[in-house]
Amino acid sequence: MVMMGRTAEALFWIGRYTERTENHARLIDVYYHIREERESGSGQSWSRLIDTIGDRTAFTEHYSSFTEQHVLQYITLDKNNVNSLLACTNHARTNLRNIREKMPSELWDIMNGLYLWLKEKDVRDITSDSPHLFYRFVRDSLSMFHGAATSVMPRQNEWHFIEAGRYLERAENLLRLLQSLGQDYAREESSSYPLMLSVLKSVSGYESFRREYADTVNLSNIIKFLMLHEAFPRSISYAFQALERSLKSIQMEDPDLNMTVRKLAKLAGKVKANLACMDEDDILSGKLEMTLQALRESCNGMGLRMTKVFFPSREEVIA
């Protein structure tokens, strides 16, 4: 079965944009609810959120200060921010519309409904009612989308391209999140406790973490859990495991392309194997930032290789 060009590209980016939207909605929701505990209304938590899932330079070009309304507008509803929830949902919807005849109708209904709902909102709808309910609706809509895809899509190339994009995006998001914790790594201050809990809750990992580490909530344990846990679906190790599995499952009729796909799968497997060899000393050695950056470069390199192999007409990668 040949599955190349625009269809493969659209599927890959549907996976990436839906994962990015859900990840950002989770993180915004949790950061929002710890702001008063951490800084009593100062802009530090909001600027941290921009650093984690946005672009500080782009933000300061259009907004004068890191206030609640400015930050929520930028990362949720700003059409000019390519990583806002509205923009990512629109990108996923556009890609889905372009291949709508090849996809289950349930997926279009969910994605189109979420986009139309977001399009009608303004920042007052977030702050004046319940921010938690707002971002939970976004998150639940994306969970419904992935649940529908899991339930009805045949396990053929279409499915595997979506999953490859989804887990590559998940790995990048997790790495970006862990890098944002780097400045807190050496301090272990009590004031960072709400932030540490927010990280776990943003990936729905609090209960799973507690089963592993009981009440020992510290940054080193959180980093180990989110990097190395092979069974937790939102760990970096699991993401590369799933990425390798998805790439191995793609079947191309062209033997050369098939071999290239196998090489991509081996790259993901190599990263997964390197993670499996890490231990606590590697995390505590002071080389964590270097390790995280190397992993992000691996993700970026894999994305570029997939673009070159599957979407040769594409001139640039949307990040």
Side-chain angles (χ1 to χ4, degrees):
M1 176 183 177
V2 178
M3 253 278 301
M4 292 292 292
R6 293 186 180 277
T7 301
E9 179 181 8
L11 291 162
F12 178 74
W13 284 99
I14 288 169
R16 293 206 69 162
Y17 280 124
T18 52
E19 178 66 26
R20 190 176 303 179
T21 307
E22 182 181 352
N23 173 80
H24 288 185
R26 286 170 171 272
L27 202 59
I28 297 165
D29 182 26
V30 175
Y31 266 68
Y32 193 98
H33 288 282
I34 66 164
R35 74 197 190 286
E36 291 182 356
E37 293 180 63
R38 284 184 55 81
E39 280 115 13
S40 301
S42 79
Q44 186 177 342
S45 62
W46 296 120
S47 64
R48 179 190 291 275
L49 193 53
I50 292 293
D51 290 336
T52 303
I53 63 175
D55 184 323
R56 182 180 284 255
T57 301
F59 177 86
T60 54
E61 286 177 357
H62 296 94
Y63 298 91
S64 59
S65 59
F66 290 96
T67 63
E68 173 187 351
Q69 292 219 344
H70 286 170
V71 170
L72 291 182
Q73 173 68 30
Y74 175 72
I75 60 184
T76 306
L77 301 171
D78 193 330
K79 296 178 181 179
N80 297 316
N81 172 17
V82 295
N83 287 318
S84 72
L85 300 191
L86 178 62
C88 288
T89 302
N90 185 39
H91 291 319
R93 174 180 177 270
T94 299
N95 281 307
L96 189 57
R97 182 181 59 201
N98 291 339
I99 56 171
R100 187 174 173 182
E101 72 283 356
K102 301 179 182 180
M103 301 295 285
S105 60
E106 294 95 328
L107 302 186
W108 168 257
D109 291 341
I110 294 169
M111 187 57 59
N112 188 50
L114 176 59
Y115 169 73
L116 293 176
W117 182 81
L118 276 172
K119 186 180 178 183
E120 296 301 316
K121 301 297 181 181
D122 62 39
V123 72
R124 290 170 296 181
D125 294 316
I126 305 174
T127 57
S128 63
D129 191 6
S130 171
H132 175 68
L133 291 178
F134 183 95
Y135 291 110
R136 182 172 181 175
F137 181 84
V138 176
R139 185 188 70 190
D140 289 351
S141 296
L142 272 300
S143 295
M144 189 186 306
F145 178 90
H146 289 301
T150 300
S151 297
V152 301
M153 286 190 69
R155 291 337 189 229
Q156 297 173 335
N157 279 357
E158 290 90 341
W159 166 261
H160 300 308
F161 271 109
I162 287 179
E163 288 290 277
R166 181 185 179 190
Y167 282 104
L168 180 62
E169 182 70 29
R170 181 170 296 184
E172 287 194 2
N173 286 328
L174 285 164
L175 289 166
R176 193 176 298 113
L177 176 60
L178 290 177
Q179 281 187 312
S180 76
L181 286 173
Q183 59 188 298
D184 292 314
Y185 181 76
R187 294 185 299 175
E188 301 282 341
E189 295 179 350
S190 59
S191 62
S192 68
Y193 185 78
L195 176 61
M196 290 188 287
L197 290 184
S198 77
V199 170
L200 291 173
K201 290 179 179 180
S202 73
V203 296
S204 296
Y206 178 71
E207 290 79 10
S208 297
F209 176 88
R210 290 290 297 271
R211 284 198 293 271
E212 292 285 325
Y213 295 99
D215 294 326
T216 314
V217 180
N218 57 53
L219 282 169
S220 60
N221 284 343
I222 290 173
I223 290 169
K224 283 189 292 182
F225 178 74
L226 293 182
M227 284 186 69
L228 307 179
H229 201 295
E230 295 182 352
F232 180 61
R234 291 188 175 274
S235 74
I236 295 170
S237 178
Y238 187 97
F240 276 102
Q241 179 185 145
L243 176 59
E244 179 188 22
R245 182 172 61 246
S246 298
L247 291 170
K248 281 183 175 179
S249 299
I250 295 172
Q251 299 296 322
M252 313 301 295
E253 290 185 352
D254 187 313
D256 291 335
L257 282 175
N258 237 355
M259 184 175 295
T260 303
V261 175
R262 301 289 84 78
K263 289 180 179 179
L264 285 169
K266 286 182 178 179
L267 283 175
K270 182 179 179 181
V271 175
K272 183 190 70 175
N274 289 338
L275 283 168
C277 293
M278 292 183 66
D279 56 26
E280 186 169 350
D281 290 338
D282 293 315
I283 294 175
L284 298 176
S285 65
K287 298 180 181 179
L288 178 63
E289 175 61 30
M290 186 183 303
T291 300
L292 293 174
Q293 186 58 38
L295 287 169
R296 282 193 67 181
E297 290 172 1
S298 294
C299 287
N300 187 55
M302 290 199 68
L304 291 173
R305 288 189 182 214
M306 292 184 72
T307 298
K308 184 176 181 180
V309 172
F310 297 120
F311 332 126
S313 63
R314 188 180 181 87
E315 294 182 357
E316 63 179 22
V317 177
I318 302 175

